[in-house]
Amino acid sequence: AQSVTQLDSQVPVFEEAPVELRCNYSSSVSVYLFWYVQYPNQGLQLLLKYLSGSTLVESINGFEAEFNKSQTSFHLRKPSVHISDTAEYFCAVSALFGNEKLTFGTGTRLTIIP
Amino acid sequence: NAGVTQTPKFRVLKTGQSMTLLCAQDMNHEYMYWYRQDPGMGLRLIHYSVGEGTTAKGEVPDGYNVSRLKKQNFLLGLESAAPSQTSVYFCASRKTRGTDTQYFGPGTRLTVL
């Protein structure tokens, strides 16, 4: 079984400042890793994912995440945040095999302060 | 292409009442899922389906039933609603497993009084 830990439930950040949202996972097998974003009053949508290859993955809106196997982490970063980044961010994990389900973390609410 | 849709968007029930939430997807996806989202608890999987006519339990299945009679629809039923089932319910679909992206519906906000 897999589990995901997002230790920060809320992260306030000033506009144009950098941000890091932390995600650690636990699994006895190799995994795929995902970050989903939920804007207010909407469903979740995929932000980025790590499947294989380069450990650094990027999204179209400036976020990036780095897979660190030794530390079992997949932290999400952005060098300069915008008001429109205000949302809840969920880290998720799926096993490479028998991977019918995603396991989600409890989410991190990112609030951008003008 | 509407993606994943959910009906209704909002509902208020009294304890003991029953209801069915409908999820529909037009992407010909095999896999469909029902989650509930509660503050501080993230998304928890209720039930899921890996194809038409199949269902399986997730981590919090008690008090819920599901059916997948047609590939495009996944129904979630509450036979006797309880206040503990007050939540936001999300449906999702996925083409197959593995690397495929999971697409979510807009959610149904259910309040049980």
Side-chain angles (χ1 to χ4, degrees):
Chain A
Q2 293 75 46
S3 67
V4 178
T5 302
Q6 292 181 252
L7 286 174
D8 304 311
S9 59
Q10 297 187 63
V11 174
V13 180
F14 285 102
E15 194 172 12
E16 298 184 2
V19 68
E20 179 181 82
L21 306 183
R22 295 180 294 168
C23 172
N24 288 89
Y25 70 93
S26 173
S27 177
S28 57
V29 299
S30 296
V31 296
Y32 298 126
L33 292 156
F34 306 81
W35 275 100
Y36 280 80
V37 59
Q38 184 180 29
Y39 298 106
N41 300 311
Q42 295 186 26
L44 281 73
Q45 55 187 279
L46 182 69
L47 185 62
L48 48 75
K49 59 185 177 183
Y50 170 76
L51 305 178
S52 63
S54 172
T55 57
L56 186 66
V57 291
E58 298 177 352
S59 72
I60 58 173
N61 59 352
F63 282 94
E64 63 180 30
E66 186 160 19
F67 170 54
N68 187 319
K69 189 174 182 179
S70 63
Q71 298 190 4
T72 61
S73 67
F74 190 54
H75 300 331
L76 182 69
R77 303 183 183 96
K78 188 170 185 180
S80 176
V81 296
H82 189 266
I83 288 287
S84 60
D85 294 323
T86 295
E88 190 151 19
Y89 293 79
F90 292 91
C91 183
V93 63
S94 171
L96 260 65
F97 302 103
N99 50 10
E100 298 157 344
K101 300 173 286 184
L102 288 178
T103 299
F104 287 87
T106 52
T108 298
R109 186 173 298 277
L110 177 62
T111 302
I112 309 302
I113 305 166
Chain B
N1 196 344
V4 181
T5 58
Q6 293 183 232
T7 308
K9 288 186 169 51
F10 303 94
R11 186 72 186 268
V12 178
L13 290 179
K14 294 181 180 178
T15 297
Q17 287 185 318
S18 64
M19 78 163 294
T20 300
L21 281 67
L22 170 64
C23 175
Q25 52 93 6
D26 60 2
M27 298 175 282
N28 201 34
H29 285 175
E30 292 293 333
Y31 287 48
M32 296 187 75
Y33 306 84
W34 275 108
Y35 295 90
R36 60 177 290 173
Q37 183 180 27
D38 302 291
M41 304 190 77
L43 274 80
R44 292 182 291 169
L45 183 64
I46 304 171
H47 286 281
Y48 66 103
S49 168
V50 300
E52 182 179 313
T54 75
T55 62
K57 292 181 180 180
E59 59 180 301
V60 289
D62 293 343
Y64 305 95
N65 56 75
V66 288
S67 64
R68 183 102 181 265
L69 298 180
K70 293 183 178 181
K71 186 177 183 179
Q72 63 267 35
N73 295 337
F74 195 31
L75 279 63
L76 177 71
L78 287 74
E79 289 187 348
S80 179
S84 60
Q85 295 177 303
T86 293
S87 187
V88 181
Y89 291 86
F90 287 99
C91 177
S93 73
R94 198 175 185 188
K95 186 176 182 181
T96 57
R97 57 186 173 184
T99 62
D100 289 327
T101 297
Q102 195 160 302
Y103 294 88
F104 284 81
T108 294
R109 186 173 296 274
L110 175 66
T111 301
V112 182
L113 302 175

